[in-house]
Amino acid sequence: MPLSLAVPNSTDIDSLQRSSFGGQLADGDPSNRNASDKTKCIQILGAQNEALIKHFTHVTQSFLAPLEKYFASLIPLQKKVTAWRPIPKIQNFNKRDVLKLIATAEPHGLTLTRNADIVALYSEFMACPNFDRWLKTKVKRANEAMWTYYISQLETADVTEFMTGHSEIEAVDLILRLKEMSEMRNELITDNVVKLMRGHAETIEEGLPDDLRQSIVHR
């Protein structure tokens, strides 16, 4: 993770000033402190801090790049997410597959020269808690993105078109799925989304024969 360095306190700054400005500050005598020098010192330290943050951010991004690329390949294509089909699942993250890819292509920005060192580095990272947190965050965000897109598909879906292009069995399956999803509650499935799901389910159900409608009621 990017490193954040705190700006030193006044005691640390005084010490740095004595070493950097020829020992011009006298201990225990605040009147001898040069406010201008202190300001310059803070500015220098701030610039160094910013440079370090940028450096470690770049290193972190370079290190995660192959993992990000592999994870992106696990996410279903957007065109596979439609209002009338179950939301596709993200494929499992296979650590062995990642290590095979890394062994054949050195990640950009890392200075290790031997592939064996790089593979060992990633292997250790994927065995630590930080990787688990990273992966859980990626999965959560990807699922949220798919749910958001799925809901947008529901909002623009033409139920009449579905009824003319799908079988009764598919219609029953969709009704049950919409009703099941409408029972879920999270930050994405709001009351309006629940109302939308139930409305679609009721509209489709009204177009079914009585015997099928009765079978849905008793499930």
Side-chain angles (χ1 to χ4, degrees):
M1 296 300 170
L3 181 63
S4 177
L5 302 177
V7 175
N9 57 37
S10 59
T11 302
D12 296 329
I13 292 173
D14 290 342
S15 177
L16 284 169
Q17 286 177 320
R18 281 191 289 272
S19 61
S20 301
F21 298 102
Q24 297 175 5
L25 300 181
D27 289 334
D29 188 3
S31 62
N32 289 332
R33 295 182 178 179
N34 189 310
S36 177
D37 286 346
K38 181 177 290 188
T39 300
K40 290 179 181 179
C41 185
I42 292 175
Q43 291 174 343
I44 292 172
L45 291 172
Q48 291 175 339
N49 185 44
E50 183 178 352
L52 283 172
I53 290 174
K54 288 183 178 180
H55 169 72
F56 284 111
T57 297
H58 173 71
V59 171
T60 300
Q61 291 173 342
S62 297
F63 177 78
L64 291 176
L67 301 181
E68 296 274 4
K69 183 177 180 180
Y70 174 76
F71 182 79
S73 71
L74 305 178
I75 302 174
L77 296 176
Q78 193 176 76
K79 65 181 181 181
K80 292 186 177 181
V81 181
T82 71
W84 313 130
R85 296 179 182 176
I87 299 176
K89 296 183 180 297
I90 299 172
Q91 298 178 53
N92 292 330
F93 193 103
N94 190 310
K95 296 180 181 180
R96 290 184 178 180
D97 288 345
V98 177
L99 294 177
K100 288 179 182 178
L101 292 173
I102 291 172
T104 58
E106 181 177 346
H108 175 71
L110 297 182
T111 57
L112 296 176
T113 56
R114 295 191 306 170
N115 280 356
D117 293 335
I118 295 173
V119 171
L121 178 64
Y122 278 94
S123 180
E124 290 182 13
F125 173 67
M126 289 190 290
C128 77
N130 284 340
F131 169 75
D132 291 336
R133 286 192 289 270
W134 174 85
L135 183 57
K136 287 179 181 178
T137 299
K138 297 295 293 185
V139 171
K140 181 176 183 293
R141 290 176 179 174
N143 279 323
E144 288 176 349
M146 283 195 294
W147 264 100
T148 299
Y149 184 72
Y150 174 75
I151 291 170
S152 72
Q153 293 292 94
L154 276 180
E155 292 172 342
T156 59
D158 187 341
V159 178
T160 303
E161 181 181 345
F162 171 82
M163 293 296 294
T164 58
H166 293 77
S167 67
E168 293 177 347
I169 298 300
E170 290 175 313
V172 171
D173 181 65
L174 176 59
I175 291 169
L176 295 175
R177 187 165 64 251
L178 287 172
K179 288 185 175 181
E180 181 181 356
M181 288 190 296
S182 70
E183 298 297 326
M184 300 170 61
R185 283 293 186 276
N186 58 46
E187 58 188 17
L188 295 176
I189 305 180
T190 62
D191 291 341
N192 288 336
V193 173
V194 169
K195 184 178 180 180
L196 178 66
M197 290 177 174
R198 291 177 178 173
H200 282 337
E202 291 172 2
T203 301
I204 296 171
E205 189 173 344
E206 289 172 358
L208 294 176
D210 290 341
D211 57 337
L212 282 179
R213 293 172 62 182
Q214 288 298 319
S215 68
I216 294 173
V217 171
H218 290 93
R219 290 195 183 190

